[in-house]
């Protein structure tokens, strides 16, 4: 039985989540159909463009993503503080970029004078929209519904395009976050459709690498802000250079044409997160098979289960084995 979405998302425990959506049909989300010879590569742009676009509307930032032939991965950060700081007018303006809203919300945004009872209705509606703009289900739903409609229209067919609900996992600490991001960014390497991370099309690591050459970070991705410290700004708690080096080293380990290993001169991120080189390789190549549900060190996993009133700490043995 699928776990209810409300039991998978717990902002009291973590704002970071790994989501995946998989296509149900043989015709592919992207890639080329070898039977018909038709290419669907342009659909990768559909997904990637929507991910970047929605970060400008939702209180949700993208940490990592990879668009594959029949599925895509995305690691997101829910910025609850940002959503709470929006004025009512900003909430409505953001919502109207994607949805029609109601007659009253449109009138309010047009500057019409509303009686107090009607204004109270607008305020209540705006609070509903505020909550939706920081919900993963609305974020993923907008992407998947739009892609399904366009794909069905292009294929001249009806019916399901996605394999049921998208799947999500809570990433409870820095180790789980770093491992999951590396797993996502290295998907094309493992699938043997790219030789290097910087040439892995439609991935966040490729975009980060391109921007790093200009001494910049992508404005549509959550930035790397360095190691945890006092008065830390919003962003990923790692150094960008460390992460890119980590991706490169891991990528060399899992490339069939370049057998290699992570030597003793590891990036600081591994030692700081207390993950051995051997365990890191297991985690980043077998993330989805090793873990089902929330992921993190034992203490973080225990707190998450307590908050969610879960009797069983799923993943505990694997988390202890690989993160301990």
């Amino acid at each position: 039985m699928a776990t209810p979405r409300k039991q998978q998302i717990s902002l009291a425990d973590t704002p970071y989540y790994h989501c995946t959506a998989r296509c149900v049909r043989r015709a592919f989300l992207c890639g080329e159909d070898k039977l018909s010879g038709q290419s669907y590569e342009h659909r990768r742009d559909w997904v990637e463009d929507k991910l970047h676009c929605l970060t400008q509307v939702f209180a949700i930032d993208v940490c990592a993503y990879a668009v594959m032939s029949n599925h895509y991965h995305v690691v997101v950060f829910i910025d609850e503080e940002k959503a709470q700081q929006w004025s009512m007018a900003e909430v409505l303006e953001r919502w109207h970029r994607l949805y029609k809203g109601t007659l009253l919300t449109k009138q309010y945004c047009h500057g019409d004078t509303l009686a107090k009872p009607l204004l109270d209705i607008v305020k209540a509606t705006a609070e509903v929209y505020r909550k939706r703009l920081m919900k993963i289900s609305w974020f993923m739903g907008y992407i998947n519904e739009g892609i399904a409609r366009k794909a069905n229209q292009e294929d001249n067919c009806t019916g399901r395009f996605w394999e049921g609900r998208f799947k999500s996992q809570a990433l409870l600490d820095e180790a789980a976050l770093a491992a999951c991001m590396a797993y996502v960014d290295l998907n094309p390497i493992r699938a043997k459709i790219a030789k290097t991370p910087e040439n892995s099309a439609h991935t966040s690591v490729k975009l980060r690498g391109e921007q790093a050459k200009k001494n910049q970070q992508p404005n549509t991705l959550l930035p790397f802000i360095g190691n945890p410290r006092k008065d830390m700004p919003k962003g990923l708690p790692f150094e960008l250079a460390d992460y890119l080096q980590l991706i490169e080293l891991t990528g060399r380990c899992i490339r069939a044409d370049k057998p290699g290993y992570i030597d003793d001169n590891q990036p600081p991120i591994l030692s700081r997160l207390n993950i051995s080189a051997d365990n890191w390789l297991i985690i980043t190549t077998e993330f989805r098979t090793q873990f089902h549900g929330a992921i993190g060190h034992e203490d973080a996993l225990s707190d998450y289960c307590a908050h969610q009133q879960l009797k069983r700490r799923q993943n505990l043995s694997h988390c202890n084995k690989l993160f301990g």
Side-chain angles (χ1 to χ4, degrees):
M1 181 180 297
T3 304
R5 190 72 64 194
K6 64 182 180 181
Q7 290 187 10
Q8 297 179 30
I9 309 298
S10 173
L11 294 183
D13 293 290
T14 180
Y16 295 101
Y17 295 86
H18 169 221
C19 303
T20 59
R22 187 172 296 275
C23 181
V24 75
R25 294 206 298 261
R26 179 196 58 80
F28 301 113
L29 164 63
C30 308
E32 181 176 324
D33 187 338
K34 293 182 180 179
L35 293 180
S36 66
Q38 184 172 354
S39 173
Y40 297 94
E41 281 300 294
H42 58 282
R43 292 180 180 174
R44 294 182 193 267
D45 291 323
W46 294 356
V47 178
E48 195 169 18
D49 290 346
K50 280 186 177 291
L51 283 172
H52 292 303
C53 176
L54 291 189
T55 61
Q56 308 304 304
V57 180
F58 280 77
I60 294 177
D61 293 292
V62 172
C63 306
Y65 67 85
V67 186
M68 305 300 289
S69 63
N70 67 345
H71 68 286
Y72 70 91
H73 296 263
V74 59
V75 178
V76 299
F77 169 82
I78 303 174
D79 194 346
E80 184 178 16
E81 181 180 354
K82 177 182 178 181
Q84 297 302 337
Q85 291 175 350
W86 289 336
S87 66
M88 182 174 74
E90 186 171 2
V91 169
L92 295 177
E93 186 273 329
R94 287 173 176 269
W95 185 259
H96 288 162
R97 292 189 211 173
L98 305 178
Y99 301 100
K100 293 181 179 179
T102 67
L103 178 60
L104 289 177
T105 60
K106 289 179 181 178
Q107 289 177 334
Y108 177 85
C109 290
H110 289 156
D112 296 349
T113 301
L114 300 176
K116 187 178 184 306
L118 298 181
L119 187 58
D120 289 341
I121 293 175
V122 173
K123 289 179 179 178
T125 303
E127 289 310 305
V128 172
Y129 293 164
R130 188 190 306 274
K131 292 179 181 178
R132 289 178 180 176
L133 287 172
M134 57 180 179
K135 282 183 178 275
I136 292 177
S137 56
W138 281 87
F139 183 89
M140 295 292 291
Y142 187 86
I143 295 174
N144 289 353
E145 182 180 356
I147 298 298
R149 288 181 183 277
K150 289 182 70 173
N152 281 353
Q153 184 178 17
E154 186 176 68
D155 295 341
N156 193 27
C157 67
T158 59
R160 276 191 173 187
F161 184 77
W162 299 103
E163 189 180 70
R165 302 191 317 168
F166 71 92
K167 295 178 173 60
S168 65
Q169 295 175 292
L171 306 174
L172 302 178
D173 51 34
E174 293 177 28
L177 174 62
C180 187
M181 287 180 61
Y183 165 80
V184 169
D185 275 328
L186 288 169
N187 254 252
I189 301 292
R190 291 196 314 279
K192 297 182 181 180
I193 59 176
K195 292 185 176 181
T196 61
E198 64 271 21
N199 292 322
S200 300
H202 306 286
T203 63
S204 53
V205 70
K206 182 177 189 295
L207 180 58
R208 290 191 188 277
E210 291 172 346
Q211 292 296 304
K213 293 177 183 178
K214 307 173 187 177
N215 292 322
Q216 298 175 354
Q217 294 201 53
N219 57 15
T220 54
L221 296 179
L222 191 65
F224 287 83
I225 48 129
N227 296 338
R229 57 193 181 276
K230 188 177 180 180
D231 298 325
M232 189 172 180
K234 185 185 79 171
L236 295 164
F238 319 118
E239 294 288 350
L240 174 60
D242 287 349
Y243 180 74
L244 293 178
Q245 184 182 9
L246 191 64
I247 291 294
E248 171 65 18
L249 290 172
T250 309
R252 287 206 304 268
C253 287
I254 59 179
R255 282 179 56 185
D257 62 329
K258 280 192 177 180
Y261 61 93
I262 300 178
D263 60 25
D264 294 333
N265 186 24
Q266 300 170 11
I269 190 174
L270 275 189
S271 56
R272 181 165 62 82
L273 297 180
N274 194 29
I275 304 176
S276 73
D278 290 340
N279 283 354
W280 176 259
L281 190 56
I282 294 172
I283 293 169
T284 52
T285 55
E286 303 174 18
F287 196 91
R288 286 292 297 175
T289 58
Q290 291 287 338
F291 302 107
H292 302 279
I295 306 150
H297 287 90
E298 182 174 357
D299 291 344
L301 191 60
S302 297
D303 289 343
Y304 173 83
C305 291
H307 292 155
Q308 297 298 89
Q309 297 182 345
L310 301 175
K311 296 181 179 179
R312 181 170 174 265
R313 292 181 296 176
Q314 195 176 19
N315 284 332
L316 179 60
S317 60
H318 276 136
C319 286
N320 282 338
K321 179 181 178 181
L322 297 174
F323 290 124

